[in-house]
Amino acid sequence: MIKNTLLLLLLFVNYEVFCQNNFHRDTTVIVNENGVLFKNAWAGGLNSTQFNDIDLDLDGKKDLIVFDKSGDKILPYLNKNGQFVFAPDYRQSFPDIHDWVILADYNCDGKNDIYTYSTGGVAIYENTSTTSLSFNLVTNLVLSDYGGPNPINIYISAVDVPAVSDVDYDGDLDILTFKITGGFIEFHKNLAMETTGSCDTVLFELSESCWGNFYEGLNNYTLNCQNCQCPPIINHPNAKQKHAGSTLLLIDIDNDYDKDIVLGDISFSNLNLLINGGDSTSANMIMVDSMFPQNNSNTIAANLEIFPAAYYLDLTNDGIKDLIVTSNSENNSENFTSCWLFNNSGSNSNIDFNFFQNNFLQSDMIDLGSGSYPTFFDHNNDGLLDIVVGNYGYYQSGGNPLSSLALFENTGTLNEPKFNLVNRDWQNISSINLNINLNIPALNLCPTFGDLDGDSDEDMILGDANGKLHFFENTGSNPSNFILSEVEYKNIDVGYFATPQIVDLNRDGLLDIIIGEQSGTINYCENTGTITNPIFDTIIEYFGGIDVESNIISSGFSTPNFYDNNGTFELYTGSFTGQTYLYDNIDNNLFGTFDSLTVLNLKEGGKNLLAIEDINNDQKPDLLIGNYSGGLSFFSSDSSVVSHTSFANFNELNIFPNPTNRLLNIVCETNGELSIINSIGKTIFKQDKNSKKITLDLKEIKSGIYLIKLEDYTSKIIVQ
């Protein structure tokens, strides 16, 4: 695809006053399903979760932090009167966290600090809270003495969860992690107490390469592993990584003053308890319980189909630590039953885990599997906006996820919306084979609505993971009814992960199609046909000069949504990282570069998509955000007047891409002699322009800055 970096033809002018919407989280909108109220409807969904405790509000009580590695999302919960209450505002106090997080007190000041993934290693943030929650970076990479000339960062895979615990009971926190090649566990001993007499020091050495004297194979364990050819302590930095993924939790399960292991693995559906028959200074695993925490048939074993992980903390607010078992498989977890809570009916020294529920916190919120792509649509023509949500799919054992549409019917009033989740497979979309190459249903369905056949009702287009669009004609009125009219609509293909919006962007009375895609750019399909017979034979790629691709990853996942704010278009788009971007300078500038206003502080999880409408009739837009974890977040807005730097077109001559490395498109109503002039004023190129749009091949022109002149128009271009 040609990436059009539109318009350097911009003249800086002064500040302009405009009206921007300030969005604030709104958890008051009621949502039910089958008569059951979602207590935390808009919490955002859960997929691959990790559980930790910390005092968020500094009241002396441990609160709850849930981290979802699907989208690197933090869900804070305050401990209020023995109940966990969703408190998302505390997210702002945390640094960027990726892949895994462990909260533990590294400096013995009574406050839990942060251990988290950092480029194949571990970073530590100190809890510096005094009057409010705050953290400061201690180190971005924890180093350890491997026996070589210099310390090397402790390797921890992004797919693992290490153990951070006082393994040798000397008062400081050690680290256990699998070797980069897998099989054996490394014991990185914390030397803080030995060297300084204080735990407030980050100083490690690789003490053992085969801690616990065992070897983890693909489907079994070798205990008392004297003949397992334990690798030497000296690190091999160039060792080939082949470790698939494991999670570690250390608990003294039998109260004998040594640490046992609760181990999860990508190859197992059950947790494995390894009993330590050694002592605090010399671990030796002697027994494996593959059905943990089953206890004398009084409870059941944890059984998550893919990659279980265990966490040990008080979740029933009785002062006794419980066990929570979740899936560590990113975006591939069992959707509604992936948070197994085992209540400890014994004590912290005499543990007795008993199964309590398999949907802890999940049952309280909207959760549509993996991925959620909302849009507003009045499905029954009652004047109230309903919500239709597509998804990546619901987990299916042994197969592809099952993608569908969910319908939330608005059962409230014009001023006070209320929603009822009436159908998780609306229009039976999951049974339609939209992937015509494989003759199977399509993945990652993203809906949008608009009257594309001129019969005064809104039709539906679905984007899918293959970058294709599918057209469904609306044959009903109250309620709407959709039939598949055209698979792979108009042969439009944007590559991968098409996220469309139907909107009359050029205000010519014909509905156009805007499409986001995996690359992070945006595509504009102008309707050049009629109201009853639309034609989309041209796609402008790199529309608006927008690319939300991260420098860290290879994809951006743009999800554009144009909103008409009192006669002026604004563009909101999500991204792979969960950042939300806002642009204006769109009207009368469709061939130019849009102005980036801001990055909205609305990170609700990765691969976010926004839907914007005024659903409570207050003349202000409301915002619905879907995310990687399959949940939804709702925001209302207040309007406020702010200032931003404005740019104006230097003239009406539109040129793209600019900069260019060869081909240059020129769009202007004016025709005549067109010239390219170099920096010393010499004309190096001439051509007659006799149509609205022409394309120049600049392969013979050297890199540099030039002027283009057409009649009274003069503009700057950059050739690279």
Side-chain angles (χ1 to χ4, degrees):
M1 297 182 182
I2 299 172
K3 303 296 185 182
N4 298 332
T5 312
L6 310 184
L7 288 187
L8 271 187
L9 334 172
L10 302 174
L11 177 67
F12 180 77
V13 294
N14 54 6
Y15 286 92
E16 174 188 24
V17 175
F18 80 106
C19 192
Q20 179 171 294
N21 302 297
N22 292 328
F23 293 98
H24 58 268
R25 189 180 303 275
D26 188 347
T27 59
T28 64
V29 179
I30 294 173
V31 185
N32 296 272
E33 184 179 16
N34 298 322
V36 178
L37 176 70
F38 289 110
K39 293 188 295 184
N40 287 307
W42 310 105
L46 295 175
N47 267 5
S48 309
T49 52
Q50 303 168 17
F51 284 74
N52 288 275
D53 56 21
I54 191 172
D55 187 359
L56 293 171
D57 56 357
L58 311 183
D59 66 348
K61 296 185 296 186
K62 288 294 183 66
D63 306 299
L64 180 63
I65 284 293
V66 183
F67 174 72
D68 194 337
K69 68 185 299 178
S70 294
D72 294 325
K73 179 177 63 178
I74 294 174
L75 285 79
Y77 288 83
L78 286 174
N79 186 344
K80 295 293 186 182
N81 301 318
Q83 301 292 319
F84 290 115
V85 179
F86 184 50
D89 289 347
Y90 285 95
R91 285 177 181 163
Q92 314 305 323
S93 301
F94 285 82
D96 286 338
I97 293 173
H98 299 275
D99 298 293
W100 58 263
V101 61
I102 294 170
L103 301 184
D105 185 8
Y106 100 94
N107 57 358
C108 307
D109 64 353
K111 298 179 291 189
N112 274 356
D113 310 292
I114 296 175
Y115 294 73
T116 188
Y117 176 77
S118 176
T119 319
V122 54
I124 298 177
Y125 292 84
E126 180 187 2
N127 187 337
T128 56
S129 306
T130 52
T131 58
S132 62
L133 188 67
S134 62
F135 299 93
N136 283 336
L137 179 66
V138 176
T139 178
N140 197 44
L141 280 176
V142 175
L143 305 181
S144 184
D145 184 356
Y146 280 77
N150 298 299
I152 302 172
N153 70 286
I154 300 175
Y155 173 81
I156 301 177
S157 169
V159 298
D160 282 359
V161 178
V164 177
S165 179
D166 187 3
V167 177
D168 52 9
Y169 291 88
D170 67 349
D172 49 30
L173 294 178
D174 311 296
I175 296 176
L176 294 182
T177 181
F178 273 94
K179 294 187 67 67
I180 189 172
T181 53
F184 297 104
I185 289 179
E186 295 180 345
F187 172 36
H188 291 271
K189 178 179 172 58
N190 192 337
L191 302 177
M193 293 299 295
E194 287 84 353
T195 57
T196 67
S198 170
C199 53
D200 192 9
T201 302
V202 181
L203 186 63
F204 289 88
E205 71 171 10
L206 176 58
S207 178
E208 297 180 51
S209 292
C210 306
W211 184 86
N213 197 31
F214 77 100
Y215 179 83
E216 183 202 21
L218 291 177
N219 296 293
N220 55 21
Y221 296 91
T222 303
L223 306 180
N224 296 308
C225 201
Q226 285 83 6
N227 298 318
C228 288
Q229 298 182 341
C230 177
I233 286 186
I234 296 177
N235 184 56
H236 299 281
N238 298 321
K240 185 178 179 180
Q241 180 181 349
K242 55 184 181 182
H243 177 55
S246 299
T247 64
L248 297 174
L249 171 67
L250 298 188
I251 308 178
D252 185 3
I253 204 80
D254 49 10
N255 198 31
D256 63 351
Y257 203 68
D258 58 36
K259 296 297 176 66
D260 310 295
I261 302 176
V262 180
L263 194 149
D265 191 275
I266 198 169
S267 304
F268 305 152
S269 59
N270 299 104
L271 292 173
N272 290 266
L273 172 65
L274 281 70
I275 297 295
N276 189 350
D279 54 39
S280 61
T281 59
S282 181
N284 184 39
M285 303 303 154
I286 60 172
M287 185 178 72
V288 178
D289 178 3
S290 62
M291 300 298 289
F292 182 77
Q294 186 169 316
N295 179 22
N296 297 322
S297 300
N298 292 327
T299 191
I300 60 174
N303 189 353
L304 283 80
E305 187 166 333
I306 299 179
F307 204 174
Y311 305 89
Y312 184 48
L313 67 165
D314 182 12
L315 293 174
T316 55
N317 287 306
D318 59 0
I320 302 172
K321 291 185 177 182
D322 310 296
L323 188 76
I324 183 90
V325 186
T326 67
S327 173
N328 199 51
S329 178
E330 184 177 357
N331 208 40
N332 194 31
S333 64
E334 298 171 60
N335 298 125
F336 312 115
T337 57
S338 60
C339 292
W340 289 46
L341 175 60
F342 292 82
N343 177 40
N344 186 354
S345 59
S347 65
N348 292 328
S349 60
N350 185 22
I351 293 172
D352 184 16
F353 293 129
N354 291 276
F355 175 75
F356 185 74
Q357 65 182 112
N358 61 5
N359 58 355
F360 180 66
L361 298 181
Q362 290 177 295
S363 59
D364 296 336
M365 65 183 71
I366 297 169
D367 194 329
L368 302 172
S370 294
S372 53
Y373 312 113
T375 189
F376 292 103
F377 171 62
D378 185 4
H379 92 101
N380 54 3
N381 290 307
D382 63 354
L384 303 176
L385 286 173
D386 312 296
I387 300 171
V388 177
V389 188
N391 66 358
Y392 179 78
Y394 292 106
Y395 179 81
Q396 301 292 303
S397 178
N400 290 326
L402 189 67
S403 301
S404 62
L405 302 180
L407 173 64
F408 294 78
E409 186 173 287
N410 190 343
T411 59
T413 66
L414 191 62
N415 299 317
E416 190 174 345
K418 182 171 66 175
F419 295 97
N420 183 24
L421 175 50
V422 297
N423 198 328
R424 289 180 177 265
D425 192 11
W426 185 56
Q427 304 292 318
N428 297 312
I429 297 296
S430 69
S431 63
I432 302 175
N433 293 338
L434 296 175
N435 187 331
I436 59 178
N437 290 331
L438 300 178
N439 196 34
I440 60 174
L443 277 175
N444 203 78
L445 299 179
C446 182
T448 183
F449 297 88
D451 184 8
L452 286 173
D453 54 9
D455 62 354
S456 301
D457 56 28
E458 293 193 57
D459 309 296
M460 178 172 67
I461 280 182
L462 296 179
D464 71 12
N466 289 326
K468 308 295 179 59
L469 305 183
H470 312 285
F471 177 67
F472 290 77
E473 182 184 357
N474 189 351
T475 62
S477 58
N478 186 15
S480 299
N481 181 67
F482 294 93
I483 60 171
L484 178 61
S485 179
E486 184 177 348
V487 179
E488 298 188 359
Y489 182 62
K490 306 294 187 183
N491 294 316
I492 295 172
D493 186 350
V494 299
Y496 296 100
F497 291 92
T499 56
Q501 182 192 12
I502 299 173
V503 59
D504 181 9
L505 195 60
N506 58 2
R507 305 186 188 274
D508 64 353
L510 304 176
L511 291 175
D512 312 303
I513 303 177
I514 311 298
I515 315 170
E517 59 169 295
Q518 179 175 305
S519 72
T521 59
I522 295 174
N523 305 271
Y524 174 42
C525 302
E526 182 185 0
N527 185 351
T528 58
T530 65
I531 293 176
T532 58
N533 183 31
I535 296 174
F536 304 100
D537 54 7
T538 300
I539 299 179
I540 296 179
E541 304 168 347
Y542 216 154
F543 185 56
I546 294 170
D547 189 346
V548 298
E549 179 180 357
S550 168
N551 292 327
I552 302 173
I553 58 176
S554 59
S555 55
F557 287 90
S558 56
T559 55
N561 191 301
F562 286 87
Y563 176 71
D564 191 342
N565 189 0
N566 295 315
T568 301
F569 275 120
E570 298 171 342
L571 169 61
Y572 295 78
T573 182
S575 63
F576 181 92
T577 62
Q579 298 284 6
T580 299
Y581 300 89
L582 173 60
Y583 301 85
D584 75 349
N585 189 26
I586 298 166
D587 295 271
N588 302 313
N589 188 35
L590 298 185
F591 296 102
T593 299
F594 304 157
D595 290 350
S596 177
L597 296 183
T598 185
V599 178
L600 301 182
N601 191 22
L602 297 173
K603 191 173 181 181
E604 297 296 303
K607 293 186 181 179
N608 60 325
L609 185 146
L610 294 77
I612 310 167
E613 291 286 353
D614 177 14
I615 69 165
N616 55 8
N617 199 36
D618 64 353
Q619 312 307 310
K620 303 170 187 174
D622 305 293
L623 183 65
L624 193 59
I625 302 179
N627 64 67
Y628 203 10
S629 301
L632 299 173
S633 304
F634 184 75
F635 296 81
S636 299
S637 71
D638 296 317
S639 295
S640 63
V641 176
V642 299
S643 296
H644 81 290
T645 302
S646 177
F647 295 83
N649 284 337
F650 188 86
N651 52 47
E652 298 174 7
L653 181 66
N654 290 312
I655 299 176
F656 60 97
N658 193 359
T660 183
N661 60 6
R662 180 169 176 175
L663 298 180
L664 187 71
N665 299 301
I666 301 173
V667 180
C668 187
E669 295 289 347
T670 299
N671 294 323
E673 186 180 77
L674 184 144
S675 305
I676 298 179
I677 303 167
N678 65 16
S679 59
I680 60 175
K682 182 179 178 181
T683 299
I684 61 171
F685 179 90
K686 284 184 179 181
Q687 179 175 316
D688 286 334
K689 179 180 176 299
N690 52 21
S691 61
K692 180 180 178 180
K693 178 182 177 182
I694 65 171
T695 300
L696 303 181
D697 189 343
L698 305 183
K699 66 179 180 179
E700 302 298 331
I701 296 180
K702 298 179 179 179
S703 299
I705 300 175
Y706 299 87
L707 291 179
I708 280 190
K709 186 176 181 181
L710 175 65
E711 297 296 319
D712 295 329
Y713 299 123
T714 303
S715 296
K716 184 187 296 183
I717 63 168
I718 297 178
V719 180
Q720 295 180 333

